[in-house]
Amino acid sequence: MNFENNLSFAQKLDEADQLRHFRSQFLFPNYNGKDFIYLCGNSLGLQPKVASEVLKGQLDNWANYAVEGWFDGNEPWMFYHKALKKLMAPIVGALPAEVCLMNTLTVNLHLLMVSFYQPKGKRFKIIMEGGAFPSDQYAIESQVRFHGFDPKEAIIEVFPKEGEEILHTEDILAKIKENADEIALVLFGGINYYTGQWYDMETITKAGHEIGAIVGWDLAHAAGNVPVKLHDWDVDFACWCSYKYQNSGPGGISGIFVHEKHFSNTKLNRFAGWWGYQENKRFKMEKGFIPEAGADGWQVSCTQVMPMALYHASLQIFEKAGFIAPLREKSITLTGYLEFIINEVNKDLGFEQYKIITPKLAKDRGAQLSIIAQRNGKQIFDGLMANHILGDWREPDVIRLSAVPLYNSFEDVFMAGQALLKVSKDILTSKRIKND
Ligand SMILES: Cc1ncc(COP(=O)(O)O)c(C=O)c1O
Ligand SMILES: Nc1ccccc1C(=O)C[C@H](N)C(=O)O
């Protein structure tokens, strides 16, 4: 599409947007008394207006039924997750039995590694992307230590080539092949939190399987953002948080995926708890753990009803929006427009002040663009905040902006560009004056 850098063009795109009415279903931040343009769904999605009502429903159930709420009422808590997993499964391309809602992300990463990182002999290494989100690095380091290995030996990190930001798939594949006999687990983030790069999940999964490794994905930045087909791609396991692109609220419930091909493998280790026990016998309180079938058998503690209620509110919106395909279609154009607008700012400034390190092709990215300001990065970010544009800053030097198709408009993107131009001129001009 040929984009234009003016308000009426952005508004025309909004008028033609089939998803535009979803915007009014969210609460936009009124931070320090100012209405903000929110471009930070990559960190925390906005609150659906219906969230308080859905949450209130469960508070009422608690008030009315107390402990009987587990078994009685219109949504007994014992089975609450079942309705939700039906809505979550299409978001990640899974069968409902392959997914479960439980805990938070890093906890689930640990629980799944207990099952799927099973080093044997010289096959004891984990391969991951260099510069993964720190929580993943810490989790993986502590898991290899738990098995008695030194992280320096047991973890292979794949970094971009010297001077590049982006990992080439062929370099990942080459590293997998190079270490074919030693890799037990391939474990990448679907989309890297810093660069916004979406890895070629299908190809990497296949390459991991070809050398006899297990393949898992952390989909924190991918779930609800890009179309993934965990079942069809034959992914072994995955987990994600739901508070970013799936708007479940701070600390919201996490999702896990275990491919159905593993359901009958009784040899998998688990850190078990009573909620993963066979559901119809759970309350018999018998000795000897027997897992419930499917991903539900990885549950440890009882259902976190209130976080699930918040997630439920958002899943209902996803269902109305047609899950991922329509969102993705808009997202590609919206992010393309954001990229165009940032490049227009460069043009207006007369030099490349902003370098987008996220890949250019839609197949290699989701909603997020990671931008390095060549000069005064942190000051520019603070300036955006002062002008009511809310993205986020990640050390050492990236501004992350994401236009989310469920609630962001093309006008948001255009206005953010106007603010970026103003802030850039203010800061860079005053700097030049100071330097003169
Ligand atoms: C890739 C990735 N992994 C792990 C986390 C940590 O998630 P949590 O704090 O829910 O465990 C995040 C976000 O905070 C993330 O982006
Ligand atoms: N859970 C959080 C709590 C506090 C502040 C940020 C987060 C994030 O989720 C950060 C995000 N994972 C990131 O990619 O930076």
Side-chain angles (χ1 to χ4, degrees), residues 42 104-107 109 132-136 189 191 193 218-221 241 243-244 251-252 254 400:
N42 53 283
T104 40
L105 173 54
T106 313
V107 171
L109 201 53
F133 191 77
S135 201
D136 297 32
I191 291 183
Y193 84 102
D218 176 342
L219 300 181
H221 290 265
C241 51
Y243 47 71
K244 297 180 189 299
S254 167
R400 300 189 303 184

Side-chain angles (χ1 to χ4, degrees), residues 379-430:
Q379 229 184 323
I380 301 273
F381 174 75
D382 292 342
L384 283 174
M385 285 285 281
N387 282 272
H388 317 135
I389 309 294
L390 198 45
D392 64 10
W393 171 260
R394 282 292 169 264
E395 296 293 344
D397 53 9
V398 147
I399 297 170
R400 300 189 303 184
L401 298 178
S402 307
V404 173
L406 258 183
Y407 50 72
N408 281 121
S409 63
F410 290 87
E411 183 169 338
D412 283 344
V413 169
F414 174 77
M415 295 311 289
Q418 294 297 104
L420 184 62
L421 182 61
K422 174 182 176 297
V423 168
S424 310
K425 282 185 175 164
D426 287 353
I427 290 174
L428 300 176
T429 311
S430 66

